[in-house]
Amino acid sequence: NAGVTQTPKFQVLKTGQSMTLQCAQDMNHNSMYWYRQDPGMGLRLIYYSASEGTTDKGEVPNGYNVSRLNKREFSLRLESAAPSQTSVYFCASSDLGLASGNEQFFGPGTRLTVL
Amino acid sequence: DQQVKQNSPSLSVQEGRISILNCDYTNSMFDYFLWYKKYPAEGPTFLISISSIKDKNEDGRFTVFLNKSAKHLSLHIVPSQPGDSAVYFCAASARGTSYGKLTFGQGTILTVHP
């Protein structure tokens, strides 16, 4: 039982390049989330997916797109990377319906540098 | 607008003593609060939570206190151990928020000295 896995662990891009961050969970959770963590800013929600087939914007969605490929997988795409997107990206999942409160389980993160 | 704030960027304590980490929030709709612990190069891991219907929740060495009137929560670690050295994030969610979205504070770096 691996929990939440993310690939790659590290990535360096040049400005304007594109890439997709992959996330998968094996806990049969309905909801999945993408966050970015920047120094002094905590974790900020980029996009989330309440269930397979649905996605919604979070706090900082500009410059990103997401795909909920199936119940297990939720990918984050940068179409044209910018230096402001240099960050550590975390994927998370939770077993939620419409109620708030259940904890989220996080992956190990992807450290992205955009030059 | 930072709805969840951890005003102390860092805290240093001696092994065996109490660590107190604080968190303030502004959104009165928040009704569930969580603490996460994060080691370097790892993802955050859930530590303890509290619902707004309670004012205290304990789990071993960890206790979370909630003061709703002050919109303040705190995490107490007793006794502190060197392995507790990590970044601690508080997070909050609001009833009616779609699918449990969490709002995080900026984090507090805890260092426990042997």
Side-chain angles (χ1 to χ4, degrees), chain A:
Chain A
N1 192 346
V4 180
T5 57
Q6 293 183 236
T7 55
K9 286 187 166 46
F10 301 94
Q11 184 71 48
V12 179
L13 293 177
K14 295 180 179 178
T15 297
Q17 287 185 316
S18 62
M19 79 160 296
T20 299
L21 282 66
Q22 306 288 352
C23 174
Q25 52 93 6
D26 62 2
M27 295 174 283
N28 202 35
H29 286 168
N30 287 314
S31 301
M32 297 185 73
Y33 311 82
W34 275 106
Y35 292 89
R36 59 178 289 173
Q37 184 197 0
D38 302 293
M41 302 290 288
L43 285 86
R44 293 182 292 169
L45 183 64
I46 304 171
Y47 270 93
Y48 68 100
S49 170
S51 61
E52 185 179 350
T54 69
T55 61
D56 282 287
K57 295 178 180 179
E59 184 184 351
V60 288
N62 291 345
Y64 305 96
N65 285 301
V66 290
S67 295
R68 183 73 183 269
L69 305 170
N70 48 55
K71 191 170 186 180
R72 289 187 64 249
E73 299 172 287
F74 188 37
S75 62
L76 178 72
R77 183 161 178 83
L78 287 70
E79 290 290 351
S80 179
S84 61
Q85 294 178 304
T86 294
S87 188
V88 182
Y89 291 85
F90 291 102
C91 177
S93 70
S94 67
D95 188 15
L96 277 181
L98 292 174
S100 65
N102 292 13
E103 72 254 30
Q104 295 178 13
F105 295 83
F106 284 81
T110 294
R111 185 174 296 274
L112 175 67
T113 302
V114 183
L115 303 175

Side-chain angles (χ1 to χ4, degrees), chain B residues 10-28:
Chain B
S10 62
L11 175 67
S12 181
V13 300
Q14 207 68 32
E15 181 178 7
R17 306 294 290 268
I18 184 172
S19 296
I20 300 177
L21 296 97
N22 294 303
C23 181
D24 296 297
Y25 62 96
T26 58
N27 188 341
S28 58

